[in-house]
Amino acid sequence: MNPFTHATATNSVAIEIGGTAILLESDDPGFHAMVKAKYPGFLAAESHDSCSLRFDVEVLGEGELTEDEDVHVWREFDRWYARRGDFRAEFDLQSGTGRIRQELNPFALNSILRIVHTIYLASRGGFLLHAASAIRNGSAFVFSGVSGAGKTTISRCAPDDAVLLSDEISYMTKNSGQYGAWGTPFAGELGQPGSNCTAPVAKFFFLEKGPQNHIEDVSRAEATRMLLRNILFFCDDERLVRQVFDSAYDFLEHVPVYRLMFVPDTTVWNFVEEFDIACPTNT
């Protein structure tokens, strides 16, 4: 029997992140309500034709899974498996179908979505990245860094005319040789999802807090090391590792990358804008 055989569900809801819609089908009304409450700005039309992936979801009672199990992701042939204390998931990207067994909590689904999108993006030249990002004057500016580097701080300092995409995890895609940044519902310390929109990446910055606003070049070797450190990655599958490496190298070939040391106040955004005007992105 095909483990991905479709089962009729009374409730379905689709979540669209980065232009990719995932249909979730479940006969549990609580799950349906939870998704609508958690992802209000990222709900898509509930159509099989418009969704890249479809999951049948089984909601489990409390205590049915091992609570203290860490996340584990692996591949067997063309099927991917992911598990943690509060969920079990498997999916096949070729058929676009999968199954999820999870407890009724948004943290489980949030983790599953990150894992699925990470794997889905890898073969398409994109990746999920620990980075804040925002759109200003039609261009996206991306600010990457480890915890404490200032992603949430620079998001809080954004001017009113900036559209926040994320203060924690940004969605990077490649289309016709150009990279774009998309908003995600994966919030950091701000506790609020980003806007569900996109713009081409104008500048990419590695963040550091400092005594003054300052931008400097970064060597290719250092940029590669820091970028790979900040890309979300959940398993050591050889093929996936190679795809992520290739995407990172290509990204650095197409997007201007700098180090930004900044004072944690609103002056940093005017400083970035002035730098962007003085050093326009080549197209």
Side-chain angles (χ1 to χ4, degrees), residues 3 13 24 26-27 29-30 36 71 86 98 145 147 160 166 195 206 228-229 235 240 246 252 264 272-273:
V13 61
L24 304 170
S26 172
D27 60 3
K36 287 196 170 184
V71 66
D86 52 353
S147 178
D160 292 339
S166 178
S195 298
F206 292 109
L228 289 171
R229 181 173 64 175
C235 68
L240 189 66
D246 289 345
L252 295 174
V272 167
E273 183 178 27

Side-chain angles (χ1 to χ4, degrees), residues 214-228:
H214 174 71
I215 292 173
E216 63 185 31
D217 292 332
V218 182
S219 71
R220 178 56 56 86
E222 186 178 8
T224 301
R225 177 180 57 80
M226 291 191 294
L227 180 61
L228 289 171

